[in-house]
Amino acid sequence: MNKKNKKILIMSAPIGSGHTLAALALKEEFEKNSNCEVVMGNAFDFIPGFFGKFILQTYLFVLKHCPFLYKYAYQWGNKETGSLWLRNFINGTMAWLAEGYLKKLAPDCVIATHATPAGIISSYKARHPELKITLVSIVTDFSIHRWWVCQGTDAYFLAADDLASIDTLKTTNIYAYGIPVRTAFRRQYDRLLLRKHFAWPNNIKVCLLMGGGEGLLAMQDILLAAQKNVLTNIHFVAITGRNTELAKELKKDFPQLEVYGFTDAIPELMHAADIIVTKAGGLTAAETITTNLQYIIYGPLPGQEEGNAAYLVHKRLAAVAHTPTELFAELKKNSIFVEPQILKTQRANATVNICAKILELL
């Protein structure tokens, strides 16, 4: 490897799809630079596979069946005292498990798109002060959980410059460049051609129902209520992600419904549609406001989704509905007015700007 080359390790965690998608967006951009060697990492790579699978399944079970437990854990973890001992124990243990991998890889820079890998590298740097590793945290929400705040973090990249907890970050290197999204979301599409490709008439509104990679959205409730309300001027399209059971149920109960499972065509679908009803994950929000979709958040989950939703509604980037009745009231409205500065920040090619600034820091 040429001495001028920089080895960059981008680390995420498989807790939701957004953190990984942000990492992929950054990888895509860094690889355009011939002076970068990019390696993708995953915090779960350092623990036994069965244990990682158990954590993920437990996380999804709690979100689906008892979200109040997640809310309690999220709020407890965000307090100034009380939970940091647990965070430090987890991060320290995983840093110890990752020791051999990190020594062999010897990255110049580690970019974390999730708080756990940020904590792992923070602990690793504390153990090895002789190593010169630049630690960069990409906060992929419109709020900052306290577990993101780690010693040894050289720079934070945030979704916006007016986040409520920004004063908790212990560095002067704070950059509000938006959340990184993949190139496909920033392309200029011919909307009429896209709609023709999807066989969507131009005289109706197309509404995407999307529950993230795990399909966590009450689509059946929405569609049943839509049938009763006879919303004939709206064409619903369901995107169920990896939730194959949901896809089967929808096809059985609503034979005329257009259903997509896990698909790479999300950017095209979003640029061609008029409305999206979805969750309030940070990446989903960033991708949505990069397009011209009317954004309706349905039943935001406790924790960061509630924080994201509150921020987005305050900035008039989205509306929130908790019931089908509230949703249909929003569907009848025109497109939501968007705060121009926030929109400008997200659409000003956040991915490119973040990568350029990181290379400058290096």
Side-chain angles (χ1 to χ4, degrees):
M1 184 177 72
N2 192 302
K3 284 186 178 180
K4 68 178 180 178
N5 283 9
K6 297 296 183 183
K7 185 178 287 186
I8 298 173
L9 171 61
I10 306 176
M11 290 190 68
S12 61
I15 304 295
S17 302
H19 310 290
T20 303
L21 291 175
L24 289 171
L26 295 167
K27 176 178 182 287
E28 181 183 68
E29 185 60 31
F30 274 121
E31 287 183 337
K32 296 176 184 178
N33 190 313
S34 59
N35 293 337
C36 295
E37 179 186 348
V38 182
V39 179
M40 295 291 284
N42 182 331
F44 279 26
D45 290 343
F46 310 128
I47 58 178
F50 73 89
F51 189 50
K53 188 175 181 181
F54 171 77
I55 293 172
L56 183 56
Q57 288 178 340
T58 302
Y59 168 77
L60 293 174
F61 178 86
V62 169
L63 285 185
K64 189 173 182 180
H65 299 288
C66 39
F68 65 91
L69 290 178
Y70 181 79
K71 181 175 183 176
Y72 173 78
Y74 183 89
Q75 291 177 340
W76 175 71
N78 212 18
K79 290 180 179 178
E80 197 163 343
T81 58
S83 74
L84 293 185
W85 67 268
L86 177 61
R87 181 199 70 172
N88 295 338
F89 172 76
I90 293 171
N91 292 341
T93 301
M94 294 186 75
W96 175 72
L97 292 170
E99 183 108 4
Y101 171 81
L102 292 170
K103 280 187 176 179
K104 183 178 180 181
L105 184 64
D108 298 291
C109 174
V110 179
I111 302 171
T113 62
H114 186 277
T116 296
I120 292 171
I121 303 304
S122 169
S123 181
Y124 181 74
K125 286 181 67 173
R127 289 179 188 219
H128 300 282
E130 74 281 2
L131 299 177
K132 302 300 180 184
I133 301 175
T134 300
L135 172 57
V136 175
S137 288
I138 312 289
V139 181
T140 52
D141 285 298
F142 291 87
S143 59
I144 306 167
H145 192 278
R146 196 165 294 276
W147 279 29
W148 271 108
V149 185
C150 300
Q151 288 186 344
T153 303
D154 298 286
Y156 290 91
F157 287 84
L158 310 180
D161 60 4
D162 60 347
L163 302 183
S165 51
I166 197 170
D167 59 334
T168 65
L169 303 180
K170 303 186 184 306
T171 178
T172 56
N173 295 326
I174 300 172
Y175 306 96
Y177 286 177
I179 295 174
V181 298
R182 290 165 290 158
T183 303
F185 284 95
R186 306 192 308 268
R187 289 185 187 139
Q188 296 297 316
Y189 292 95
D190 186 322
R191 193 165 181 275
L192 293 178
L193 284 178
L194 283 179
R195 288 180 76 96
K196 184 177 180 181
H197 170 75
F198 292 119
W200 297 344
N202 292 322
N203 61 344
I204 63 169
K205 286 187 174 183
V206 175
C207 178
L208 304 179
L209 301 177
M210 191 166 74
E214 307 304 328
L216 296 175
L217 188 73
M219 298 186 193
Q220 295 101 321
D221 295 345
I222 294 170
L223 292 165
L224 283 170
Q227 286 182 337
K228 294 176 182 177
N229 283 266
V230 195
L231 296 177
T232 56
N233 64 325
I234 294 181
H235 174 66
F236 287 99
V237 177
I239 304 171
T240 59
R242 288 180 286 270
N243 194 334
T244 54
E245 286 301 314
L246 176 60
K248 289 178 184 177
E249 291 173 10
L250 291 176
K251 288 176 182 178
K252 177 184 175 183
D253 297 338
F254 308 95
Q256 304 303 315
L257 179 68
E258 192 174 349
V259 180
Y260 289 85
F262 193 84
T263 174
D264 293 325
I266 297 295
E268 291 80 5
L269 288 162
M270 289 176 69
H271 277 275
D274 302 283
I275 308 161
I276 187 167
V277 178
T278 185
K279 309 304 289 182
L283 250 291
T284 298
E287 291 169 351
T288 299
I289 64 178
T290 303
T291 70
N292 288 311
L293 285 166
Q294 180 182 348
Y295 184 14
I296 304 175
I297 298 166
Y298 190 82
L301 292 168
Q304 65 267 32
E305 279 202 16
E306 285 185 337
N308 289 341
Y311 182 87
L312 295 167
V313 169
H314 175 67
K315 291 295 179 181
R316 301 178 68 187
L317 288 160
V320 172
H322 295 92
T323 65
T325 301
E326 292 179 3
L327 172 60
F328 299 145
E330 291 296 334
L331 288 173
K332 293 173 184 176
K333 296 180 181 179
N334 294 323
S335 296
I336 297 168
F337 171 79
V338 181
E339 287 282 337
Q341 185 53 48
I342 299 299
L343 185 62
K344 183 179 178 182
T345 299
Q346 183 57 47
R347 288 187 178 172
N349 219 331
T351 310
V352 173
N353 293 337
I354 289 171
C355 292
K357 176 54 73 173
I358 291 173
L359 290 175
E360 182 184 316
L361 293 172
L362 291 177

